[in-house]
Amino acid sequence: MPVWKPEAYIDGKPLKPESLMMKYGYRPELSEGAIKCPVFLTSTFVFKSAEHGKSFFEVAYGLREKGPSEELGLIYSRLNNPDLEILEDRLKLWDNAEGCAVFQSGMAALTTTILEFARPGDLVLHSEPVYGGTDYLLKHILPRFGIEHQGFRAGASVAQIREQLAASGKLGALSFILIETPANPTNALVDIRALADLAAELSTPARRILVAVDNTFLGPLWQHPLKHGADLVVYSATKYIGGHSDIIAGVCLGSVELMQRVRTLRTIFGTITEPWSGWLLLRSLETLKLRMTCQMKNARYVANFLEDHPKVERVYYLGRLGEDHPDFELYRRQCLAPGAMISFDIVGGEAEAFRFLNALKLFQLAVSLGGTESLAEHPASMTHSDVSVADREWLGIGDRMVRLSVGVENPEDLVLDLERAFRAV
Ligand SMILES: *Cc1c(COP(=O)(O)O)cnc(C)c1O
């Protein structure tokens, strides 16, 4: 169990993350009493003495263990920086994680993390579909380093996954499992606990198989993968964590031991983010719960409208899974709320979907998600256009599908916009 700094408790009771986003980990007395953490735009830090510098480097390079109350001294902004350390301390609270590292992008977080734990000859098992950049990394970049991949469809049972692995003959090479749940754009779920159990069962003393979850869609509020047995959680902080569609950033969280390794590779790759983005993320975290709660409620209102609309054939939304839906029980066990991503099939095909998208006024036509503004896009021709037609069919991504990221606008105005756009179809 992680232990927080003393200011995270009142009378021994831990405070909730949203209560701590304004000051946790920041000491005004070190910054002229400024109530907000300044932006530390500096590449390097002055040591008080040569002895201090020596001891900082000993810890940074793992030559000795950090003392129980010792903090890693500030050295150079490719290793650490006050804005980024405070940001990491605050991000740990949401996922109840011991360790955290922030990155220049979600892709930088994923690449650095996978390359730390997968070696030439290893197999990475992953759910499908995954984010386009992740898909490219797994299928085109990692093979250059001798790292193979195998995908399983979100929704497949563990028995099916095990069978698929056995049939590939590469079970002995498995070292890393990457899960993206809910899947984009179908909202199909992957059972984190079941895959963590499979990883534990297939691990040997010489080879520990790790499970990482890309938690961008529901986290850090509505799904906590570490609680369900995952070893690592990864985010594109560009989405809900940043929340204003104005920065690119990424995060990885996990145990102190695993994160020490990830942070060392981050230092060498130089994939840490810079102080200004870190500062913007600190500001975003103050309203994270407000924004995500509002977006979740707005999405519920929008989904209810879509369910009843005659021009909608099917809605893919976690908040209205019937008891007979295959993900019904898993949703209740794994997720705390349905989030704010909705996909739906419009009656017709690409032409109808395009007429609908072109008629929207309040929703903006753009990819990405999780920002304050509502967005709409066409997965088959945009975010998922480089997925083969056969794979799109296999994954259930049709030409009729439209994906919505619901923002913080007035929900009645959002429905007004959708209603009008349906009339234009
Ligand atoms: C956007 C996204 C990424 C990539 O993040 P960047 O910040 O754009 O590098 C990875 N995974 C998921 C699920 C995403 O939505």
Side-chain angles (χ1 to χ4, degrees):
M1 275 300 280
V3 179
W4 310 126
K5 296 177 193 291
E7 68 259 34
Y9 303 87
I10 290 182
D11 291 342
K13 289 202 188 97
L15 304 178
K16 310 288 184 296
E18 63 269 28
S19 305
L20 294 167
M21 288 304 111
M22 281 58 78
K23 56 187 267 209
Y24 182 70
Y26 171 62
R27 289 163 57 194
E29 70 272 20
L30 297 179
S31 296
E32 306 282 359
I35 192 163
K36 286 299 170 197
C37 179
V39 198
F40 287 88
L41 288 176
T42 184
S43 59
T44 193
F45 298 86
V46 179
F47 302 136
K48 280 197 194 103
S49 66
E51 289 76 10
H52 269 105
K54 177 180 175 182
S55 85
F56 292 175
F57 267 90
E58 283 169 350
V59 174
Y61 285 179
L63 303 177
R64 66 172 175 86
E65 287 285 306
K66 196 159 73 171
S69 62
E70 189 180 2
E71 306 227 341
L72 178 57
L74 293 159
I75 297 176
Y76 185 66
S77 285
R78 182 158 44 73
L79 279 73
N80 54 9
N81 175 282
D83 294 292
L84 304 183
E85 286 197 350
I86 294 165
L87 173 63
E88 286 166 350
D89 281 339
R90 291 184 191 171
L91 284 164
K92 284 183 219 167
L93 296 166
W94 296 95
D95 276 291
N96 209 31
E98 289 172 355
C100 177
V102 292
F103 291 87
Q104 275 173 358
S105 67
M107 284 313 301
L110 280 160
T111 305
T112 307
T113 303
I114 296 175
L115 282 175
E116 173 53 38
F117 298 110
R119 295 282 177 274
D122 283 0
L123 176 71
V124 176
L125 177 73
H126 64 94
S127 60
E128 288 203 88
V130 285
Y131 178 73
T134 312
D135 195 76
Y136 196 92
L137 174 71
L138 291 165
K139 295 178 182 169
H140 300 291
I141 309 289
L142 295 183
R144 288 194 216 157
F145 297 89
I147 299 165
E148 298 200 47
H149 69 92
Q150 187 173 349
F152 64 87
R153 189 171 49 83
S157 70
V158 172
Q160 286 168 325
I161 297 168
R162 190 197 295 268
E163 229 169 77
Q164 212 184 317
L165 267 175
S168 75
K170 298 193 195 111
L171 206 147
L174 179 63
S175 71
F176 198 85
I177 302 178
L178 178 64
I179 299 170
E180 207 179 294
T181 181
N184 170 24
T186 56
N187 275 334
L189 298 181
V190 181
D191 190 335
I192 300 168
R193 173 63 63 190
L195 280 149
D197 288 347
L198 179 70
E201 185 199 314
L202 297 176
S203 289
T204 63
R207 174 187 289 275
R208 178 175 165 204
I209 302 168
L210 296 177
V211 176
V213 177
D214 183 332
N215 200 33
T216 299
F217 273 56
L218 283 186
L221 254 84
W222 312 132
Q223 180 169 271
H224 300 123
L226 299 178
K227 272 197 193 121
H228 300 282
D231 299 293
L232 296 159
V233 187
V234 183
Y235 290 99
S236 167
T238 311
K239 316 295 166 54
Y240 289 99
I241 293 175
H244 295 73
S245 305
D246 53 7
I247 39 167
I248 302 278
V251 183
C252 181
L253 300 125
S255 67
V256 168
E257 175 215 345
L258 296 178
M259 290 314 299
Q260 186 52 45
R261 292 180 53 183
V262 171
R263 292 167 68 91
T264 301
L265 198 61
R266 180 185 69 170
T267 292
I268 302 307
F269 280 2
T271 44
I272 194 170
T273 192
E274 22 65 60
W276 175 230
S277 290
W279 188 90
L280 281 171
L281 286 169
L282 284 175
R283 184 168 180 152
S284 290
L285 283 181
E286 298 188 9
T287 56
L288 180 69
K289 186 171 185 192
L290 267 178
R291 287 184 282 109
M292 286 191 76
T293 304
C294 172
Q295 286 170 276
M296 183 264 289
K297 288 183 181 166
N298 281 357
R300 198 182 285 284
Y301 190 84
V302 166
N304 284 345
F305 162 77
L306 291 171
E307 283 281 352
D308 299 331
H309 199 281
K311 287 188 183 167
V312 173
E313 197 172 295
R314 177 171 173 191
V315 180
Y316 305 80
Y317 171 62
L318 290 173
R320 289 186 59 141
L321 301 180
E323 274 183 51
D324 54 342
H325 193 285
D327 283 341
F328 179 77
E329 187 272 333
L330 176 57
Y331 170 73
R332 301 216 138 180
R333 179 156 51 82
Q334 192 165 284
C335 314
L336 298 169
M341 296 300 295
I342 307 172
S343 294
F344 67 91
D345 288 336
I346 199 163
V347 174
E350 187 187 89
E352 286 73 14
F354 277 19
R355 278 205 285 281
F356 171 82
L357 289 168
N358 289 334
L360 289 167
K361 286 190 164 213
L362 186 55
F363 277 83
Q364 297 181 84
L365 184 50
V367 300
S368 196
L369 59 117
T372 45
E373 66 281 291
S374 291
L375 301 177
E377 65 113 6
H378 186 245
S381 68
M382 296 171 192
T383 44
H384 294 72
S385 58
D386 65 352
V387 178
S388 70
V389 177
D391 278 356
R392 281 211 294 273
E393 213 156 89
W394 178 56
L395 300 167
I397 307 166
D399 285 339
R400 303 165 291 179
M401 186 183 272
V402 170
R403 190 189 78 179
L404 304 177
S405 168
V406 180
V408 301
E409 301 89 342
N410 182 293
E412 289 170 15
D413 289 345
L414 291 173
V415 163
L416 192 67
D417 190 32
L418 296 172
E419 216 161 26
R420 220 191 109 271
F422 277 122
R423 280 202 305 277
V425 173

